[in-house]
Amino acid sequence: MDVSGTGIQEPFDLIRLSLSERVFVKLRGDRELSGILHAYDGHMNLIMSDVEETIMIVDTESAMAGQGVVNVAKRKMEMLFVRGDSVILVSPPSRT
Amino acid sequence: MAFFGLPERDLPISSIGERPGNIAEYTWGEESYDGLGDALQEGRDDLNDETFGSTGPVGKDFDFSSQAPPELQNDYQQPLRTQPRNATTASLESLWHDHSAFSVLPRSNGPSRAGERHRMSPAPTQTQSHRYASPSHIGHMTGHQSQIRARTLQEIESEMLLNAQRQREQERERQEQEREELLQLEIEQQRLLRQQELLQQERMREREHELQQLMLQEQQQLQQQLQRQRLLQQQQQQQLHSQHTPPPRMMPTSQSPRFLDQQRQLLLVQQQQHQEQQRRLQLEEQLRREELERQMLAMNLERTRVDSPLYNGRRTQASIPAEVQEAHFLQQAYERQLQQQHQQHRRQSSRSPANLNPQYMATLQQDRLQSQDLLLHQRIIAELAAHGELPIDMRNVSQADQEALRAEAMRKILETEKMEEKRRRKAAKIAHMARYNDLMTQSDKDFITRIQVSQLVTQDPYADDFYAQVYGAILRSRMGLQSQDERVLKFGSGGGVGLGLASKGGSRRPSAMQRMEQQVERIVNNARKREEEKSLHALHSLQGALGKTSGRSYKAAPRQLLQVDGAAASPTLSHANPTGHISKGPGETKGGAAEEAAKLGRAALGTAADTDNLVKKEPLTHRQTLVVLEELYDLVLRIEQLRRDQPPSEDDRENDEWKAEYDHLVDRLWNEIRVMVPLETSDPHPFISLLTPSKGKKILPRLTRHLTNQRLLTLLTLLVACFHQLDVVKQALILDDVHDTVERLEVERQTAAFLGSVMQSILPVVSTANLRLVTGLLGLLLDRSNIVAVAQTRPGLALLTLFLSRVEVIKQTIATTPDVSDSPTLEESQQWRMIFDHLFQLLAPHFLTLFPSVRMAHRVSNDMPLQTDAVDQPVWQFLAALALHGVSEQHHVLVASLREKILENVFSVNKGWVQDEEERQTKLANVNLFLHAVNLDSSQIAM
């Protein structure tokens, strides 16, 4: 597809397409978010609603032979402000 | 320059060397001035004035060097006191900062030397002895000087000491001259003392009484003195304070009154201590005077040793140990007193770090000096004792008296301290906050406001304040207020400030708003003036007023990321169509075809005509949809903006231009939504694809506002024709899931958006449609969609109900006003009847499955309590609408097929299988909704 034709000039334009759509956001600290994107800015600060956060907790204490046990903690939030400096990636959710 | 050279430092010392056995005396400006000062004169100082400024005393603003920590200073001075001869190593700082020659002098131990001198002096007069014991005088002198210009306390302290020293020197040399120099206060004190002296001589036996009187007098005197001192000390304190926390441009006068109050409290405590000192000194003086008398006596008696009181003292000390013991006792008492004082000081200082200041150190030093005086005192007493005439009773009584007074004073001090502690804590807080009070003048504030406001001024106040404006409009409409015009300040040249929401009730806000408006007005006026002068825009004139900002602009608004350039975009837009789906072929008569379809009733749309040129395309991908939607949003925003900017109607040319632009934009919008794309191009149709994301659904009402009725009709036809393609219809089955899955929630969300937005936007079209059109639309729906599947969805039911109720309204209109011009013809009515019958036939076997509760019950194995009445309500509504149109046979069919459901509801209500009143009401209301349509009621049902 023609890049100029789609009006996409910078990476943020792709994020704009996902406005008010469900997005998948990967954060620092082994966290992932899935929620509806409402707003973002140049710092990648995000406003999301209906968010489910997934936190991976690697339990090295009870690990056997260096194999960490990954625990997953989940929580839901109605509305969320995500500070941009923790955002690693923003993507549309995988479609099945 | 000599200022920085070491030789400079050596100078005073060498001069001391020249005069061994004596303290360095610098007597500039006095008659006995020996000209040594001239000898000190260094060379190459001619340009000093130019370098350091010639007029006035040097300010202390940049004096960082002399603010050595007090402890350090104290340590530095202690050795000096023990070795008075070396004390002349005056610090360079004092030399540098103080033009007074005395600052070069040693800053310590006047009293110790005074003691020596006292002992050595052949015949000290009364005034002399009195003079030693007046620290208040010292304080006064210092205060006086501090009035002249601001100095550091360190300096003041040193100067204070130096002055005392100097006075002593002067005293020894010229008493007469000095007396003239005495301040009024001192003179009075002297007079009183002299009176007292006379009294003393007269009434040697009535000492106790006299002493008390004297003390009273002294106290009164001191009160006056303290009044003056207080003022001076306040100044010092302020000076001190400003040293501790010196914010820029802080003026001593700008202290808050509470701060001054606190200072006064502090001073009060200090003064009370001071009073005590005074009292002690008074006693000392008396003793000294007595001693002098004795000395006179002794001189008379022992003419051979008239000049050596020192010898005298030594001799007596050695000879009369009993008296010495007494003297020791007295000294111990003093020392205890001193200790108490110190402790007090320490307590204070532990509470407030502000007390760890040079002034405290000064008082400490004073105390030390006094303790040195005590040594002297001891000797005096010893001398007195030598003559065996020391009035013991007087001492005892006076001591007891003193004790009582001290206790009183201590109690008062403690009380005051307690109060003061509270107040201090409060005041410290306030002072901390008030440090920056009045830093800015009103004009400063105005200036800043102006800058801020100028940053708020934008070309498009409404759009920059968009959310607040829209929210405000919604709020106003919800509250039923007359919607005012936009809350925007507009200026002539297109700029303006968005005012946000209307503030309601706030007491501060309105005035702030008014002030801002005034500011804005001023800015605008200024800008206009400047515009006239420079023909510059208001914004430009203020730009860079605070210096250049680098990088991004100040505006807090999110950066516009998709820059759709208006001029450039128009030619590229058709090209920018990412799908390229639009085939603008000769077969572009889709709308006409739809119309045709409406005319033909349930006849199929004339798509066959189009199929010739039809280019089958892949449906829009999700991403393409999103891209198109973004463009749509941009367009809609621009169109909305354009509508707000509609020029006043009088200017025709401008209006035409505006109209042209508006139409152009609306045309683009129309193309973008792809309604005119042939029906069979793809499945789903591009337009339906655009409705898939929730933002696509939500934009429709904003978009349809700008479309003509004809276009809206086409849009509606397309929507109906492709109704089965809608995501909300396709995925409606998920809603029947009893579990709250993510998918179900998503579909729920989409459905709500569809009902709220899409149905809302087609509602005005349908509600004005004539019977023929409704018949056509229903026929189209029946023809193209699986009507049973559609009817099992909420959007489908809503659409069907909409059609049926519209026809019902038409029927009623005919019944009431039969002369309406566009009343349906008989043919149209027959067509409607036919279509309706067809619909009924198709749905009849599935009436029960229309209920979500029934469908859900199939999925649920056990009878879990489901709150389905609310979900069922639209179905009951639809069935009621169906019944309204139906004939009696159809009613029978309806009731027969719904009998089970109706009975279930009625039974559960009657037998109390409901959880609460609300559920009962809902169930009954649902059933009655339908039963009323067939002229029945739930109460008629026999149990």
Side-chain angles (χ1 to χ4, degrees):
Chain A
M1 199 193 293
D2 188 8
V3 174
S4 65
T6 58
I8 290 169
Q9 285 140 14
E10 59 170 5
F12 272 129
D13 291 349
L14 290 170
I15 294 182
R16 190 189 176 194
L17 294 181
S18 290
L19 277 173
S20 89
E21 288 287 289
R22 191 162 279 279
V23 289
F24 170 81
V25 180
K26 197 173 171 186
L27 299 179
R28 288 165 183 272
D30 303 325
R31 283 154 196 263
E32 287 166 1
L33 301 176
S34 166
I36 294 158
L37 178 70
H38 287 290
Y40 67 94
D41 65 8
H43 305 286
M44 284 262 243
N45 296 328
L46 309 172
I47 306 280
M48 297 170 74
S49 75
D50 195 14
V51 189
E52 185 179 70
E53 184 180 21
T54 310
I55 309 163
M56 314 280 186
I57 303 159
V58 180
D59 191 0
T60 47
E61 295 273 317
S62 61
M64 290 161 64
Q67 287 276 309
V69 180
V70 180
N71 292 323
V72 178
K74 288 195 175 189
R75 57 172 175 162
K76 290 195 171 183
M77 282 146 291
E78 225 168 76
M79 193 62 86
L80 198 66
F81 175 89
V82 184
R83 188 170 148 84
D85 65 352
S86 58
V87 174
I88 294 172
L89 78 84
V90 179
S91 83
S94 54
R95 288 182 175 276
T96 49
Chain B
M1 293 301 247
F3 283 96
F4 305 105
L6 272 172
E8 170 87 89
R9 191 194 187 92
D10 295 335
L11 267 169
I13 294 164
S14 65
S15 71
I16 295 156
E18 288 163 23
R19 302 170 65 175
N22 204 344
I23 307 300
E25 299 171 15
Y26 297 98
T27 50
W28 283 279
E30 292 175 16
E31 284 174 9
S32 65
Y33 177 49
D34 53 9
L36 270 176
D38 292 332
L40 284 172
Q41 200 62 39
E42 321 83 5
R44 285 177 287 163
D45 277 353
D46 310 73
L47 293 170
N48 275 3
D49 281 355
E50 276 169 49
T51 312
F52 302 107
S54 57
T55 52
V58 176
K60 305 307 275 175
D61 290 0
F62 302 101
D63 178 17
F64 305 106
S65 56
S66 69
Q67 291 183 24
E71 298 91 345
L72 233 160
Q73 191 195 335
N74 195 36
D75 289 347
Y76 175 60
Q77 285 182 347
Q78 221 135 13
L80 289 185
R81 202 171 295 121
T82 49
Q83 299 173 323
R85 307 289 143 164
N86 297 336
T88 40
T89 51
S91 65
L92 268 177
E93 291 106 276
S94 63
L95 195 77
W96 169 266
H97 296 298
D98 205 339
H99 291 307
S100 152
F102 292 99
S103 63
V104 194
L105 289 173
R107 51 169 77 195
S108 69
N109 58 43
S112 71
R113 280 186 294 114
E116 277 176 65
R117 224 175 296 126
H118 183 80
R119 260 180 280 132
M120 289 193 290
S121 64
T125 60
Q126 280 148 12
T127 36
Q128 245 178 325
S129 65
H130 157 69
R131 200 152 250 287
Y132 291 118
S134 82
S136 65
H137 163 69
I138 293 167
H140 187 81
M141 286 298 286
T142 331
H144 185 71
Q145 274 169 352
S146 75
Q147 262 181 328
I148 297 163
R149 63 188 165 109
R151 289 165 199 237
T152 63
L153 265 178
Q154 194 184 356
E155 271 186 300
I156 289 161
E157 184 195 335
S158 68
E159 198 152 326
M160 190 170 78
L161 290 164
L162 288 165
N163 280 331
Q165 186 189 345
R166 175 184 165 200
Q167 275 172 354
R168 272 171 220 115
E169 312 267 310
Q170 286 171 342
E171 272 165 11
R172 204 171 51 171
E173 284 168 351
R174 289 178 317 279
Q175 286 170 15
E176 304 303 319
Q177 187 187 345
E178 209 180 40
R179 200 171 292 155
E180 285 171 9
E181 288 169 2
L182 281 178
L183 293 165
Q184 189 59 40
L185 169 75
E186 268 183 299
I187 292 161
E188 202 170 57
Q189 206 178 359
Q190 274 181 355
R191 185 178 52 80
L192 276 162
L193 284 168
R194 248 179 266 126
Q195 278 178 357
Q196 175 218 336
E197 197 83 27
L198 285 165
L199 282 166
Q200 204 179 3
Q201 282 170 358
E202 281 174 37
R203 291 179 283 162
M204 283 290 277
R205 299 301 154 203
E206 299 165 11
R207 228 161 243 268
E208 316 156 26
H209 174 68
E210 191 217 332
L211 192 67
Q212 278 174 345
Q213 226 178 6
L214 186 83
M215 275 173 150
L216 275 169
Q217 280 177 338
E218 189 73 11
Q219 269 175 353
Q220 282 173 350
Q221 205 178 356
L222 274 167
Q223 287 300 328
Q224 294 175 338
Q225 204 173 354
L226 288 172
Q227 287 289 340
R228 256 187 272 176
Q229 229 174 2
R230 194 178 293 174
L231 265 169
L232 297 168
Q233 278 183 351
Q234 262 176 22
Q235 280 177 340
Q236 285 176 347
Q237 291 274 341
Q238 281 168 0
Q239 208 177 330
L240 235 170
H241 184 80
S242 62
Q243 274 175 1
H244 280 291
T245 56
R249 295 171 56 181
M250 184 65 155
M251 304 304 289
T253 47
S254 70
Q255 294 291 0
S256 69
R258 300 197 68 157
F259 173 75
L260 288 175
D261 202 45
Q262 182 211 359
Q263 293 293 327
R264 233 169 273 136
Q265 289 294 331
L266 253 165
L267 281 168
L268 223 80
V269 177
Q270 282 176 351
Q271 280 156 10
Q272 272 172 338
Q273 289 164 1
H274 196 76
Q275 272 182 344
E276 265 196 285
Q277 283 177 12
Q278 290 285 325
R279 240 173 269 135
R280 223 184 311 130
L281 288 164
Q282 189 68 38
L283 191 76
E284 227 175 303
E285 274 169 50
Q286 274 192 321
L287 289 168
R288 236 178 261 154
R289 270 190 295 276
E290 281 175 47
E291 175 245 350
L292 290 172
E293 282 166 35
R294 301 292 175 284
Q295 270 189 355
M296 293 293 277
L297 218 75
M299 275 196 289
N300 289 334
L301 289 170
E302 304 177 55
R303 280 182 189 277
T304 46
R305 278 166 188 174
V306 127
D307 286 332
S308 74
L310 186 71
Y311 171 77
N312 210 357
R314 269 188 209 141
R315 195 202 52 168
T316 48
Q317 254 181 350
S319 59
I320 309 166
E323 301 292 345
V324 172
Q325 262 184 345
E326 246 179 5
H328 269 297
F329 177 73
L330 197 67
Q331 195 194 352
Q332 275 167 3
Y334 280 134
E335 271 167 358
R336 243 181 287 132
Q337 221 172 338
L338 273 174
Q339 262 179 352
Q340 277 176 348
Q341 243 177 355
H342 278 281
Q343 275 167 2
Q344 208 171 302
H345 263 303
R346 246 168 257 135
R347 251 181 285 138
Q348 271 186 345
S349 59
S350 68
R351 255 182 251 117
S352 75
N355 263 20
L356 267 178
N357 56 36
Q359 209 178 29
Y360 167 55
M361 299 319 288
T363 42
L364 215 106
Q365 215 176 3
Q366 271 185 356
D367 287 346
R368 286 213 184 111
L369 299 182
Q370 276 161 15
S371 73
Q372 278 171 343
D373 272 352
L374 274 174
L375 271 169
L376 153 80
H377 192 191
Q378 190 188 348
R379 292 197 184 172
I380 294 162
I381 292 163
E383 273 181 65
L384 282 169
H387 302 282
E389 284 182 36
L390 196 69
I392 292 160
D393 58 331
M394 162 277 209
R395 271 195 305 165
N396 287 342
V397 170
S398 71
Q399 239 176 350
D401 213 21
Q402 217 177 13
E403 207 68 49
L405 276 166
R406 200 195 304 145
E408 176 83 358
M410 282 300 282
R411 196 178 55 76
K412 273 185 190 162
I413 286 167
L414 282 173
E415 256 175 43
T416 331
E417 264 177 16
K418 238 184 242 169
M419 296 287 291
E420 189 223 343
E421 199 183 347
K422 255 191 220 165
R423 222 170 280 136
R424 191 191 293 149
R425 227 179 291 141
K426 221 185 207 174
K429 219 176 186 179
I430 291 163
H432 185 77
M433 290 189 297
R435 270 198 304 172
Y436 303 105
N437 271 4
D438 303 329
L439 274 186
M440 291 168 76
T441 61
Q442 191 53 45
S443 68
D444 286 344
K445 288 173 192 165
D446 285 351
F447 178 69
I448 302 250
T449 318
R450 220 155 46 229
I451 299 292
Q452 286 172 337
V453 170
S454 77
Q455 308 289 51
L456 288 174
V457 174
T458 58
Q459 285 296 308
D460 185 1
Y462 185 86
D464 281 356
D465 202 19
F466 181 79
Y467 291 101
Q469 300 285 350
V470 170
Y471 182 62
I474 291 169
L475 269 189
R476 279 195 296 273
S477 69
R478 202 173 288 169
M479 288 189 298
L481 293 174
Q482 266 305 333
S483 86
Q484 314 148 6
D485 51 347
E486 298 153 2
R487 286 192 46 78
V488 167
L489 277 181
K490 277 191 179 167
F491 318 133
S493 44
V497 180
L499 292 181
L501 289 177
S503 55
K504 31 186 184 294
S507 55
R508 272 185 64 177
R509 279 283 191 79
S511 68
M513 195 58 91
Q514 276 176 353
R515 220 178 306 150
M516 199 191 87
E517 273 170 42
Q518 282 168 7
Q519 288 280 359
V520 169
E521 226 167 275
R522 207 183 311 168
I523 292 167
V524 172
N525 287 339
N526 287 347
R528 282 215 185 107
K529 265 184 225 158
R530 228 166 296 167
E531 216 169 351
E532 283 163 19
E533 287 167 17
K534 297 184 196 171
S535 71
L536 268 177
H537 192 266
L539 257 180
H540 296 306
S541 65
L542 278 162
Q543 246 171 25
L546 281 182
K548 296 226 168 178
T549 49
S550 59
R552 278 196 58 193
S553 68
Y554 42 81
K555 277 173 200 156
R559 191 165 157 202
Q560 192 191 349
L561 291 161
L562 281 183
Q563 263 116 21
V564 185
D565 189 39
S570 52
T572 56
L573 192 89
S574 51
H575 157 70
N577 170 17
T579 61
H581 274 208
I582 295 177
S583 54
K584 293 191 173 172
E588 194 70 0
T589 50
K590 178 68 196 63
E595 289 276 89
E596 195 61 26
K599 275 181 207 156
L600 291 173
R602 57 181 298 231
L605 273 168
T607 45
D610 287 328
T611 43
D612 302 341
N613 302 319
L614 187 74
V615 187
K616 274 273 185 185
K617 294 269 172 89
E618 284 294 304
L620 287 179
T621 64
H622 185 66
R623 202 180 137 229
Q624 285 168 337
T625 309
L626 293 175
V627 172
V628 175
L629 278 174
E630 285 308 316
E631 279 170 35
L632 278 177
Y633 267 101
D634 278 341
L635 271 173
V636 165
L637 285 172
R638 281 180 62 191
I639 291 170
E640 284 176 356
Q641 182 58 41
L642 204 63
R643 270 175 85 127
R644 280 194 295 273
D645 292 345
Q646 183 166 16
S649 50
E650 54 262 23
D651 193 340
D652 279 347
R653 192 183 56 80
E654 219 174 275
N655 240 348
D656 289 348
E657 271 176 25
W658 178 85
K659 188 89 178 79
E661 195 184 348
Y662 179 76
D663 288 346
H664 171 69
L665 281 176
V666 173
D667 283 347
R668 273 179 62 190
L669 191 74
W670 180 243
N671 284 333
E672 276 302 280
I673 59 172
R674 291 160 169 78
V675 171
M676 299 308 286
V677 175
L679 199 61
E680 300 295 343
T681 301
S682 61
D683 182 12
H685 188 270
F687 175 69
I688 301 300
S689 290
L690 291 180
L691 288 181
T692 306
S694 65
K695 55 179 162 182
K697 296 182 176 77
K698 281 170 186 163
I699 201 178
L700 205 62
R702 288 171 76 176
L703 190 146
T704 50
R705 220 178 293 154
H706 307 288
L707 297 180
T708 58
N709 225 30
Q710 188 54 46
R711 279 173 170 173
L712 270 179
L713 215 58
T714 315
L715 188 147
L716 175 62
T717 312
L718 181 65
L719 184 71
V720 170
C722 300
F723 205 76
H724 62 287
Q725 294 174 350
L726 285 167
D727 62 320
V728 282
V729 175
K730 275 186 190 163
Q731 297 174 324
L733 278 179
I734 296 172
L735 283 177
D736 296 337
D737 201 339
V738 285
H739 304 290
D740 269 357
T741 58
V742 178
E743 292 81 27
R744 187 178 182 280
L745 286 174
E746 176 64 20
V747 176
E748 192 83 52
R749 195 168 75 97
Q750 296 288 357
T751 306
F754 184 86
L755 292 174
S757 300
V758 181
M759 291 308 278
Q760 216 63 42
S761 54
I762 61 169
L763 189 66
V765 191
V766 177
S767 62
T768 55
N770 54 27
L771 184 60
R772 197 180 64 170
L773 181 64
V774 177
T775 311
L777 288 173
L778 185 59
L780 194 59
L781 187 69
L782 292 177
D783 181 55
R784 288 186 54 88
S785 307
N786 175 2
I787 192 64
V788 177
V790 168
Q792 282 180 354
T793 66
R794 256 193 272 167
L797 271 182
L799 189 71
L800 287 173
T801 313
L802 191 64
F803 287 157
L804 293 179
S805 49
R806 172 61 197 157
V807 174
E808 185 60 31
V809 169
I810 292 169
K811 277 184 183 173
Q812 281 173 7
T813 323
I814 296 162
T816 50
T817 53
D819 297 333
V820 179
S821 57
D822 64 338
S823 59
T825 59
L826 189 67
E827 189 199 345
E828 282 169 2
S829 299
Q830 282 173 346
Q831 264 189 354
W832 164 251
R833 193 73 240 163
M834 194 170 70
I835 293 287
F836 177 79
D837 286 347
H838 186 61
L839 171 73
F840 195 88
Q841 268 176 10
L842 286 172
L843 286 180
H846 306 282
F847 279 142
L848 267 185
T849 55
L850 295 186
F851 289 101
S853 59
V854 175
R855 295 200 301 269
M856 283 158 104
H858 285 302
R859 298 192 172 210
V860 187
S861 50
N862 53 351
D863 284 339
M864 54 190 285
L866 282 168
Q867 292 294 323
T868 52
D869 298 299
V871 202
D872 280 349
Q873 198 174 16
V875 185
W876 288 111
Q877 273 172 354
F878 168 68
L879 291 172
L882 208 61
L884 278 176
H885 290 282
V887 292
S888 57
E889 304 100 68
Q890 283 167 338
H891 283 176
H892 285 299
V893 175
L894 267 175
V895 173
S897 42
L898 293 175
R899 184 188 158 82
E900 197 183 321
K901 187 76 188 164
I902 294 162
L903 287 178
E904 184 195 313
N905 269 17
V906 174
F907 278 151
S908 60
V909 168
N910 287 351
K911 302 211 165 163
W913 294 347
V914 287
Q915 283 170 341
D916 50 22
E917 181 64 19
E918 200 183 331
E919 192 187 335
R920 201 181 77 88
Q921 294 275 351
T922 323
K923 276 188 193 297
L924 266 187
N926 278 347
V927 174
N928 279 333
L929 195 68
F930 169 71
L931 288 179
H932 289 168
V934 289
N935 297 317
L936 288 170
D937 193 88
S938 58
S939 54
Q940 294 173 310
I941 295 171
M943 287 300 113

